[in-house]
Amino acid sequence: MADGPGRITLWGVEVFVATAEEASISAAARRLGSSPATVSQQITNLEAVLGTALLDRSTRPVTPTASGQLFLRRANAILNEAALAKAELASADYTRLTRLRLGIVEDFDAEVTPRLLAGMAETMPDCQFLLETGASHRLFDLLDQRALDIAVVAEGGAVPDWAEVHPLLTEPFIAAVPKGTSAEALREIPLISYTSRHLMGRQIAAHLKRQRLTFSHRFELDSYHAILAMVAEGTGWSILTPLGWLRASRFRDRVDVMPLPFGDLSRRISLMARKDMLGTVPDRTSEALRRQIVETIVAPTTAELPWLRDEMRVL
């Protein structure tokens, strides 16, 4: 049946989202099991209904226009609501969701995320998983904008009323220093700072201010690998978390880590979702995450650094 005039169809919305995410009409067609001609026509129909261009199809890769960026947020919310309705009507079983958008803090991308997705794929066989990794503040913003369904992030302040929170892990901040450097020597060498553009950098800066501490620093970086590479070369020292130390494992033999020598500071990583939107999925996902965090992060880290056992733990 042909689409009626002035109608936004669910199929048209799905085609638009796929094309925006794949940045290619042909790739979107492969993903949807359709043809490039059909994809192109659906986008044309949707743009006609909305009265504005959503995609710049003259460029490679295809990119959303300013209007397309605005509509993409709503389009993702529409598709998620449709998936939820389908699951509810089918059997009230949220494990039969057909689409789930996950945001997971980059600290988990090597050890935890692959195992989590593999396990979810087994228990939710009809679901398509869309993964976004990155800094906590960016993932939280995407969750707030309804561009994600679940976000695993470091908490950074008051929890909004719309969120349900499942605490996963608490970990302390630690000092990473050149091999053989003592805590007393830290005032004599520069501090290599984690960028204040990210939540973690702001937390560290606020802690140092509360402690009334000022250190000489010339470098502010956003990469654990770059920070620990400079520490390993003896350029300075840094403050990070055990997860950051784990991610840059190739520098461990040239870097010592120790408890933060001036006041305790820690952070909590939690799974967040919108209340009453996904049924038992957030709870089940958080339980799976806790098991994997114990096996792949907490157990090996505390075995190597026993002084972390009371401070780095699953919640």
Side-chain angles (χ1 to χ4, degrees):
M1 180 180 295
D3 298 338
R7 294 178 182 173
I8 296 176
T9 67
L10 191 59
W11 171 235
V13 173
E14 186 173 2
V15 166
F16 164 69
V17 170
T19 307
E21 291 178 346
E22 299 290 342
S24 164
I25 287 176
S26 58
R30 287 193 298 272
R31 168 170 152 180
L32 297 168
S34 187
S35 68
T38 298
V39 168
S40 182
Q41 186 60 55
Q42 285 295 322
I43 293 170
T44 298
N45 293 347
L46 184 60
E47 289 176 330
V49 171
L50 294 174
T52 186
L54 299 175
L55 295 170
D56 184 351
R57 287 181 266 177
S58 67
T59 63
R60 295 294 181 274
V62 172
T63 56
T65 64
S67 296
Q69 290 283 4
L70 289 173
F71 185 68
L72 185 59
R73 300 176 191 171
R74 299 295 185 186
N76 276 309
I78 290 167
L79 293 180
N80 188 56
E81 287 297 322
L84 288 173
K86 181 179 178 181
E88 288 176 346
L89 293 172
S91 62
D93 181 1
Y94 285 88
T95 64
R96 296 186 64 187
L97 283 172
T98 57
R99 178 183 172 90
L100 189 64
R101 299 164 301 165
L102 294 159
I104 301 182
V105 66
E106 55 197 354
D107 304 69
F108 284 171
D109 62 4
E111 290 83 7
V112 175
T113 303
R115 294 190 184 191
L116 174 68
L117 292 178
M120 294 181 78
E122 289 184 4
T123 59
M124 303 168 70
D126 299 321
C127 189
Q128 177 190 32
F129 300 96
L130 305 178
L131 175 67
E132 184 94 22
T133 60
S136 291
H137 68 280
R138 188 174 69 85
L139 297 179
F140 182 82
D141 287 345
L142 291 173
L143 182 66
D144 185 31
Q145 296 162 7
R146 297 179 183 267
L148 291 176
D149 304 310
I150 289 175
V152 177
V153 296
E155 293 186 28
V159 177
D161 292 340
W162 52 259
E164 62 173 285
V165 180
H166 301 261
L168 300 171
L169 172 73
T170 183
E171 62 169 348
F173 284 83
I174 59 178
V177 304
K179 200 75 173 177
T181 302
S182 67
E184 292 73 21
L186 297 187
R187 291 184 179 276
E188 308 301 322
I189 59 176
L191 172 66
I192 302 170
S193 302
Y194 195 77
T195 177
S196 58
R197 292 185 293 106
H198 290 187
L199 171 62
M200 194 174 89
R202 294 194 292 272
Q203 289 174 321
I204 294 169
H207 177 72
L208 294 178
K209 184 176 181 180
R210 287 193 299 270
Q211 299 295 318
R212 299 182 180 180
L213 292 169
T214 302
F215 295 97
S216 169
H217 73 279
R218 298 173 58 197
F219 305 100
E220 185 173 303
L221 310 178
D222 68 351
S223 163
Y224 295 131
H225 286 84
I227 288 171
L228 287 182
M230 295 185 74
V231 173
E233 291 297 323
T235 306
W237 68 284
S238 190
I239 300 172
L240 71 170
T241 66
L243 279 173
W245 175 73
L246 281 173
R247 290 191 72 204
S249 58
R250 65 179 176 150
F251 301 108
R252 285 190 214 170
D253 60 339
R254 292 186 290 153
V255 172
D256 287 336
V257 291
M258 64 180 70
L260 209 56
F262 29 78
D264 295 332
L265 178 64
S266 63
R267 69 172 183 170
R268 189 169 82 166
I269 295 178
S270 297
L271 181 149
M272 295 188 182
R274 288 189 169 271
K275 292 178 180 176
D276 305 321
M277 287 290 292
L278 293 171
T280 62
V281 171
D283 189 56
R284 293 180 182 183
T285 304
S286 62
E287 283 299 317
L289 276 167
R290 290 186 189 99
R291 290 193 297 271
Q292 291 165 24
I293 291 169
V294 168
E295 294 173 5
T296 63
I297 293 177
V298 175
T301 303
T302 55
E304 189 169 348
L305 304 173
W307 48 271
L308 284 173
R309 283 177 182 154
D310 292 334
E311 298 181 80
M312 187 179 190
R313 62 187 187 279
V314 168
L315 301 171

